[in-house]
Amino acid sequence: MLTLLMLLAQDPATQPAAPADAPVAQWSSSAGHLSAFQGAMMAWSRAGLLEGEVSFVVSNTGSPDRLVSVSTPAGPVGDISIDVARGEDAVALLPGDLTIAGMGADGIPARSRVTAKLTDLASGQPMPVRTTITVRFETAGEITISADPASPAPPPPRRPRS
């Protein structure tokens, strides 16, 4: 029993330590009226290719802004998509629309969830790692946040056999 408790108390060795020269990023960071937080990184292998994504939430207490770029040492960024909160629903913006919603007339800060697909993984492994996400906005400027490893994406749905 004691052995089991000691094993449970150990930290899992799931990812390599960050390099000594890696920038230290906060869990959340702000610029202007924008705050970015809840950074996450996922990774997987599909058809022999390494893929993944980084995601985060942006809260906006001011007027709308526009996302200019997303970068991460975890790998090259491809498509970027944004879902915005509308009432109790999340609504996906059209592909290419990188608008960060502005605060509503009700005075409640707007929330946008940003997902950036990774077209390859710098680690060379299909497993998520702790990393950073640097985001540049048209008006607010640049924010860098920490992104924690998250579970890999689920496999694509199976097609029924005919």
Side-chain angles (χ1 to χ4, degrees):
M1 181 68 159
L2 180 59
T3 304
L4 176 62
L5 290 174
M6 291 182 70
L7 286 173
L8 291 174
Q10 292 179 350
D11 288 333
T14 57
Q15 67 257 348
D21 61 345
V24 176
Q26 301 298 317
W27 180 81
S28 68
S29 186
S30 299
H33 295 287
L34 304 180
S35 295
F37 54 95
Q38 290 182 354
M41 188 273 184
M42 295 184 195
W44 58 86
S45 176
R46 184 186 343 248
L49 300 174
L50 295 174
E51 299 176 347
E53 68 182 35
V54 291
S55 62
F56 54 94
V57 175
V58 177
S59 177
N60 187 353
T61 60
S63 59
D65 204 336
R66 185 175 170 278
L67 184 70
V68 175
S69 67
V70 175
S71 62
T72 175
V77 172
D79 292 335
I80 299 171
S81 61
I82 299 178
D83 295 316
V84 296
R86 299 238 169 94
E88 294 185 21
D89 297 322
V91 177
L93 298 182
L94 294 173
D97 185 352
L98 300 179
T99 303
I100 300 299
M103 184 162 66
D106 56 6
I108 296 175
R111 290 215 172 174
S112 302
R113 177 128 187 108
V114 179
T115 303
K117 300 292 183 190
L118 301 178
T119 59
D120 194 9
L121 300 175
S123 68
Q125 299 291 322
M127 64 183 290
V129 295
R130 179 167 284 124
T131 189
T132 58
I133 305 169
T134 300
V135 187
R136 178 167 291 283
F137 299 97
E138 193 170 75
T139 304
E142 189 171 285
I143 295 175
T144 298
I145 61 169
S146 176
D148 291 328
S151 299
R158 294 182 186 224
R159 294 185 177 164
R161 293 186 182 179
S162 43

